[in-house]
Amino acid sequence: MLTGFTAGLLLITISELGDKTFFIGVILSMRYSRRLVFLGVLAALAAMTVLSVLLGQVVSLLPEYYINYGEIALFLGFGFKLLYDASQMPAQAKNTGEKEAAVEVAKQNQDGAIAGSGKDKLPSGNFAILLQAFTMTFLAEWGDRTQISTIALAAAHQPVGVTVGAILGHGICTAIAVIGGRLIAGRISERLVTALGGVLFLIFGVMAML
């Protein structure tokens, strides 16, 4: 359980900092109550984590050597891909790519809400804010590399430990986004975060081989 908890916590904390869902929290917290945004975003990430762990348990029914080889290939592949991406970025690049993706998600969500409601602005009720934060975050996280990696971790490690560690990591990143996101977002080096994520994935891949 401790191994799964540590792996889930490190994976999520490093990978999600500066990810699309991080900037969704930043953008929404500029417009709405930080408490409501935090609850909505974290609820979506927790739901996605539980779903990923359940999928990981289904995968764990496969023969063990398939799981081991799949885990190794997944983590090493993500690791080398992230390191390559980092090497192609300018040395002082800020995290603009993920921020632009988050802005686009927010814009599409707002346009859809406006079209559906027939009003010129989004509803401002507490439930509407929670629902918007939940929906935007859940859709943005679906199919993300952290979701796939969580599935792999849950297939190879104790599922409760992975779940608790991953949700705690999501909580840390979400709190950073909604509390100090406006200050931090402009200072995050996308190259550094991407490289750290690549190194972490390679470490997990080597651990899986050993």
Side-chain angles (χ1 to χ4, degrees):
M1 181 178 289
L2 180 60
T3 301
F5 172 83
T6 304
L9 178 62
L10 290 175
L11 172 72
I12 297 302
T13 303
I14 294 179
S15 299
E16 285 294 299
L17 187 63
D19 197 37
K20 289 192 298 294
T21 52
F22 177 87
F23 283 108
I24 286 174
V26 172
I27 293 168
L28 292 180
S29 65
M30 292 180 182
R31 305 174 56 195
Y32 305 121
S33 164
R34 291 177 177 178
R35 177 176 59 86
L36 294 175
V37 171
F38 176 83
L39 292 175
V41 171
L42 183 58
L45 294 174
M48 182 63 73
T49 298
V50 172
L51 176 61
S52 299
V53 170
L54 292 176
L55 291 174
Q57 291 303 288
V58 175
V59 173
S60 68
L61 299 177
L62 296 172
E64 186 175 354
Y65 61 89
Y66 284 146
I67 298 174
N68 289 340
Y69 286 130
E71 185 183 18
I72 292 169
L74 178 69
F75 286 134
L76 292 183
F78 275 142
F80 286 120
K81 174 65 165 56
L82 290 175
L83 289 178
Y84 174 78
D85 291 343
S87 70
Q88 302 302 306
M89 297 175 184
Q92 301 301 321
K94 302 300 180 184
N95 202 330
T96 56
E98 295 290 352
K99 185 176 181 180
E100 290 174 355
V103 170
E104 182 62 25
V105 171
K107 184 177 183 299
Q108 291 175 359
N109 185 273
Q110 181 174 355
D111 290 344
I114 292 174
S117 64
K119 299 178 181 180
D120 59 354
K121 64 179 181 179
L122 289 172
S124 57
N126 289 348
F127 179 76
I129 296 172
L130 285 170
L131 182 62
Q132 182 184 0
F134 182 95
T135 304
M136 290 173 60
T137 304
F138 191 88
L139 293 177
E141 188 70 8
W142 185 265
D144 194 65
R145 64 174 178 265
T146 52
Q147 183 202 17
I148 300 172
S149 301
T150 302
I151 294 173
L153 282 181
H157 298 287
Q158 212 280 343
V160 175
V162 173
T163 302
V164 175
I167 292 177
L168 178 59
H170 281 305
I172 292 172
C173 290
T174 304
I176 293 173
V178 301
I179 294 174
R182 280 173 286 185
L183 298 175
I184 297 172
R187 294 172 172 79
I188 293 177
S189 169
E190 185 174 6
R191 184 183 189 187
L192 176 60
V193 172
T194 302
L196 287 175
V199 171
L200 180 63
F201 278 116
L202 290 181
I203 291 174
F204 284 163
V206 172
M207 290 174 61
M209 285 191 290
L210 297 177

